[in-house]
Amino acid sequence: MQQDTTTWNLDTFNNKQLTYNFARSIEGFFSIYSPALKHIYGDFTIELLHGQKSRLVATPSIYGLDRYINIPENTLRPSGLYIFTGDFFDLHQYQFKAAFLAKDLTFPKNPMIGPPSAGFDLFRKFSNNNELFPVFTKNDLHEFSSMTPCLHIHLIDLRKIDLSNPERKTLKLMFEEKYTRLKSIGC
């Protein structure tokens, strides 16, 4: 039986407490996609589990209604957009900042650093698609230059999902509420 969770090995991060705090801080702003189950969860918690290996576990809320099933993985695409803490850029007034990184997780020559919502807006504008929304998956939590955690964002294209109109409308509303929440904190 497959687990209904997404996990990250915390032992691979140098600053475990910062990674845990960062992971917990994203809970209300993004949705998570489980490729094993082909589900999207809007309501989830990230907990720290100790054992032979320390790990972070994202578990869907048992009371949450924001759960969508049978979402094919081919509706997601990597964005190259990474979310960091504002503190990493000495921008302490911002909870999150975003930057596009190269595939080897390095900054390009002239990095664009700004609010995550601006990155999402760029994707929507250049793809002429207002149906793109940010999600993250199991392999999206990384450590940047052995210093700080960062979160890679995937984009889900609602146009590619086979849902009824009411389901699509509800899913889009969930994504838009999270997007609005992110913008409301200046991100």
Side-chain angles (χ1 to χ4, degrees), residues 11-32:
D11 293 335
T12 62
F13 293 84
N14 286 320
N15 192 331
K16 293 167 184 46
Q17 188 62 48
L18 178 64
T19 302
Y20 173 68
N21 293 344
F22 175 68
R24 289 294 308 263
S25 72
I26 62 175
E27 286 178 2
F29 300 103
F30 298 98
S31 297
I32 190 167

Side-chain angles (χ1 to χ4, degrees), residues 15 23 32 39 61-62 75 94 105 139-140 150 154 167 176:
N15 192 331
I32 190 167
H39 291 186
S61 169
I62 59 172
T75 62
Y94 297 106
L105 291 182
N139 297 318
D140 284 341
C150 62
H154 275 77
E167 288 174 316
E176 286 174 343

